[in-house]
């Protein structure tokens, strides 16, 4: 077969040259990289000279159908058009593959070949400092997302119903691989936790739709497809075959790369990249939403790995299991919690609540208290105080924030109201009771002394009169050091 260039699509320089072109000063140019053939689950790529030629496999994989030449031709043109948004000088055009009868029998994308050593994945696995490169990628994507298309139809891709449908579709897609490739209990937990998050976060998701943060983005950001060149990054291989899988929250787009950095064993770089994107886009969102979308992207790649396993890739089964585990880990981290921290004021309840919130990056809400007499060492939280505390906690939980609620929590009726709020916002209720003499922050002031009017030896640990039993709480008693108490609280809340 021969290859001919489609008129006005691929420049004449797209054809590889057998000559060694002179470099500056008449010196020979560097020796071209050797020819290579690479096969993915959807394409075949030929690396030849300074060009790459990419054809689509004539296959029906369920999520795409390239069995007809027309479908492959449309996919090639879509790939070039969409990828020119982030790499205009790499995607040169579409070429026809001419059969013996002189007619086009297939089509291929023609690309400029980039140096493999400058792949982001290669730089990460080499262990070098890639913070500068990640900053550049985050800046490029933040600008890119402001220019991406949006519409009423695209905005609908960020709705709770659409997101639930995508998760349900993914769960159905991997069911044929349960037990043979994937652990059924892991997949069940993934479906349950994703559904629970979506159940309680409708105000958050609606708000992001209203802010026009649902865009026609890249859809498949992987470290293998990002090249960090001297004049800036080039991002390749946009998901071209199904707009439904490409559109979504801009955070879901960048979460794909964060997931891939975690997969490469660098969660620190994933966090750094997401923080830089947040900075350059002037975007705010709860960390739990990052976890949801990183989990979703890991699950998408898990499904792809299962498909590769079915095609005979022996390494794909282990990869699918690792990606499912990554998805589950992120969903567990992203659980929204209401953490009640109760006890007497002299127990150091408020100090522990503040330390717990700081250590985990959670929201701290504190009830207003009022003293009611010389025998009350703690101050009391009024019904109005609990009303306001729970109102603010509900708003935060609906928007994906885990909340630490600092109050005495002496009465069961108030704890029951907190439990009802946790149910209504699909949040986990964590109950911690301080019952030790004066928790204090490591390296800070001594424990609080008893207030005047308290009973000797009892004012700092005894509950005030009228306190209801609290068997549901994890009781934090004396610890050898304050940081041990904090570690126990973090374990209980995790």
């Amino acid at each position: 077969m021969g290859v001919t260039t489609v008129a006005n699509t691929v420049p004449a320089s797209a054809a590889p040259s057998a000559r060694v072109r002179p470099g500056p000063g008449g010196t020979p140019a560097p020796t071209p990289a050797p020819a290579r053939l690479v096969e993915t689950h959807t394409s075949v790529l030929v690396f030849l000279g300074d060009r790459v030629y990419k054809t689509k496999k004539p296959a029906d994989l369920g999520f795409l159908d390239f069995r007809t030449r027309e479908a492959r031709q449309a996919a090639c043109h879509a790939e070039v058009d969409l990828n020119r948004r982030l790499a205009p000088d790499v995607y040169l055009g579409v070429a026809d593959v001419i059969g013996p009868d002189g007619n086009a029998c297939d089509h291929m994308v023609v690309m400029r070949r980039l140096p493999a050593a400058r792949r982001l994945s290669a730089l990460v696995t080499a262990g070098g400092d890639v913070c500068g490169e990640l900053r550049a990628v985050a800046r490029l994507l933040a600008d890119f997302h402001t220019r991406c298309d949006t519409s009423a139809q695209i905005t609908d891709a960020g709705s709770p119903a659409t997101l639930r449908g995508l998760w349900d579709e993914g769960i159905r897609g991997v069911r044929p691989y349960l037990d043979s490739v994937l652990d059924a209990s892991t997949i069940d937990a993934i479906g349950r936790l994703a559904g629970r998050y979506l159940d309680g976060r409708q105000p958050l998701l609606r708000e992001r739709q209203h802010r026009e943060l649902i865009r026609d983005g890249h859809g498949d950001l992987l470290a293998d497809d990002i090249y960090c060149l001297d004049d800036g990054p080039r991002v390749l291989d946009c998901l071209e075959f199904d707009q439904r899988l490409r559109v979504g929250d801009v955070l879901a787009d960048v979460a794909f790369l964060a997931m891939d950095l975690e997969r490469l064993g660098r969660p620190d770089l994933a966090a750094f990249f997401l923080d830089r994107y947040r900075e350059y886009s002037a975007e705010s969102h709860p960390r739990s939403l990052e976890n949801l979308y990183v989990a979703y992207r890991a699950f998408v790649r898990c499904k792809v790995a299962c498909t590769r396993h079915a095609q005979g890739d022996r390494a794909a089964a282990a990869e699918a299991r690792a990606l499912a585990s990554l998805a589950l880990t992120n969903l567990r981290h992203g659980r929204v919690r209401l953490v009640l921290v109760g006890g007497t004021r002299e127990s150091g309840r408020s100090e522990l609540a503040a330390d717990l919130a700081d250590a985990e990056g959670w929201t701290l809400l504190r009830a207003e208290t009022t003293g009611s007499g010389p025998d009350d060492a703690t101050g009391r939280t009024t019904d109005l105080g609990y009303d306001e505390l729970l109102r603010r906690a509900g708003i935060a939980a609906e928007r994906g924030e885990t909340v630490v609620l600092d109050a005495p929590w002496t009465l069961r009726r108030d704890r029951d109201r907190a439990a009802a709020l946790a149910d209504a916002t699909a949040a986990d209720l964590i109950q911690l009771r301080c019952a030790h003499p004066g928790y204090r922050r490591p390296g800070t002031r001594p424990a609080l002394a008893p207030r005047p009017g308290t009973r000797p030896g009892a004012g700092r640990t005894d509950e005030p009169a009228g306190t209801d039993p609290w068997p549901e709480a994890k009781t934090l008693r004396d610890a050898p050091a304050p940081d041990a108490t904090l570690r126990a609280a973090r374990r209980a809340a995790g």
Side-chain angles (χ1 to χ4, degrees):
M1 292 188 295
V3 177
T4 184
T5 302
V6 176
N8 301 320
T9 304
V10 182
S13 60
S17 172
R19 297 179 180 179
V20 177
R21 294 174 178 159
T27 58
T31 303
R36 294 176 59 216
L37 186 145
V38 174
E39 184 175 354
T40 72
H41 64 293
T42 62
S43 305
V44 176
L45 297 91
V46 177
F47 294 73
L48 189 61
D50 59 357
R51 296 289 180 262
V52 180
Y53 301 92
K54 180 178 181 181
T55 59
K56 309 292 184 183
K57 288 183 176 179
D60 180 2
L61 300 179
F63 57 91
L64 59 79
D65 186 352
F66 289 160
R67 288 175 295 178
T68 67
R69 180 183 65 80
E70 291 77 13
R72 297 193 296 277
Q73 181 182 35
C76 286
H77 282 286
E79 179 172 352
V80 169
D81 292 342
L82 289 166
N83 279 290
R84 280 177 171 169
R85 297 177 300 171
L86 282 167
D89 60 342
V90 175
Y91 284 80
L92 303 177
V94 178
D96 293 337
V97 179
I98 305 302
D101 59 359
N103 295 319
C105 62
D106 213 335
H107 309 274
M108 59 173 60
V109 174
V110 182
M111 304 164 60
R112 182 162 67 95
R113 188 175 187 175
L114 300 179
R118 301 304 301 170
R119 270 182 164 171
L120 178 59
S121 56
L123 298 175
V124 170
T125 54
D129 182 4
V130 295
C131 290
E133 286 80 359
L134 287 175
R135 282 192 190 93
V137 172
R139 186 182 293 110
L140 175 69
L141 293 173
D143 176 68
F144 167 67
H145 284 143
T146 66
R147 295 181 283 105
C148 289
D149 290 341
T150 189
S151 65
Q153 181 180 5
I154 290 172
T155 296
D156 188 60
S159 71
T162 300
L163 293 175
R164 183 177 297 279
L166 290 174
W167 277 101
D168 290 345
E169 180 181 325
I171 295 291
R172 290 194 300 271
V174 301
R175 290 215 175 275
Y177 306 98
L178 296 186
D179 297 325
S180 61
V181 176
L182 300 172
D183 176 66
S185 63
T186 296
I187 302 306
D188 288 344
I190 286 172
R192 175 175 53 81
L193 289 172
R196 182 169 172 78
Y197 187 91
L198 295 173
D199 283 342
R201 257 40 70 192
Q202 294 200 21
L204 168 65
L205 299 173
R206 297 295 186 196
E207 179 182 300
R208 294 186 70 80
Q209 289 180 292
H210 180 72
R211 292 168 56 196
E212 297 187 339
L213 294 174
I214 317 303
R215 300 277 173 149
D216 187 340
H218 184 280
D220 198 20
L221 284 166
L222 293 171
D224 264 355
D225 298 323
I226 297 175
Y227 290 79
C228 303
L229 307 182
D230 292 343
D231 59 346
R234 304 294 193 279
V235 181
L236 312 186
D237 210 18
C238 169
L239 194 156
E240 84 287 344
F241 55 81
D242 189 346
Q243 186 194 41
R244 187 177 61 95
L245 300 178
R246 190 176 63 247
V247 300
D249 195 309
V250 294
L251 182 57
D253 216 20
V254 296
F256 217 137
L257 180 54
M259 176 278 299
D260 207 33
L261 292 169
E262 288 194 26
R263 181 189 64 83
L264 292 171
R266 296 300 303 270
D268 58 323
L269 293 180
F272 177 85
F273 166 68
L274 289 172
D275 285 345
R276 298 292 75 72
Y277 179 81
R278 181 194 294 263
E279 174 187 350
Y280 294 132
S281 63
E283 218 277 276
S284 61
H285 53 261
R287 300 293 182 185
S288 66
L289 193 60
E290 292 180 1
N291 290 125
L292 175 78
Y293 284 131
V294 169
Y296 175 68
R297 294 311 195 182
F299 197 56
V300 168
R301 297 303 296 178
C302 170
K303 181 179 174 182
V304 171
C306 287
T307 300
R308 287 176 24 232
H309 167 76
Q311 292 176 334
D313 186 341
R314 294 183 178 180
E319 182 181 346
R321 287 189 289 270
L323 288 162
S325 177
L326 180 58
L328 182 56
T329 296
N330 271 277
L331 287 170
R332 285 172 172 165
H333 287 168
R335 290 179 297 128
V336 175
R337 306 161 180 85
L338 295 183
V339 184
L340 311 188
V341 181
T344 66
R345 185 162 57 191
E346 278 72 18
S347 71
R349 174 198 80 220
S350 293
E351 289 82 358
L352 178 62
D355 282 354
L356 179 60
D358 286 346
E360 298 290 350
W362 294 338
T363 298
L364 173 65
L365 296 177
R366 183 165 289 151
E368 295 296 329
T369 61
T370 178
S372 61
D375 292 331
D376 183 0
T378 66
R380 293 187 184 276
T381 299
T382 65
D383 287 346
L384 289 177
Y386 279 114
D387 287 346
E388 179 62 15
L389 181 69
L390 294 173
R391 184 190 70 81
R392 289 184 290 159
I395 292 172
E398 287 178 336
R399 283 159 176 77
E401 301 285 354
T402 285
V403 186
V404 179
L405 298 153
D406 171 18
W409 298 110
T410 53
L411 300 181
R412 174 170 292 279
R413 70 183 186 192
D414 297 319
R415 302 193 297 265
D416 286 346
R417 292 171 63 197
L421 177 63
D423 286 342
T425 57
D428 293 352
L429 183 66
I430 310 295
Q431 304 182 64
L432 306 176
R433 172 178 170 267
C434 294
H436 50 78
Y439 168 84
R440 61 187 175 88
R441 295 179 175 182
T444 60
R445 63 188 180 278
L448 295 172
R451 293 181 62 186
T454 59
R455 296 188 304 277
R460 302 198 322 191
T461 58
D462 287 357
E463 297 293 350
T467 296
D468 291 332
W470 196 1
E472 302 88 355
K474 166 71 174 178
T475 299
L476 303 173
R477 300 190 182 278
D478 291 1
D483 57 346
T485 303
L486 178 58
R487 286 198 301 270
R490 294 181 71 178
R491 286 195 299 271

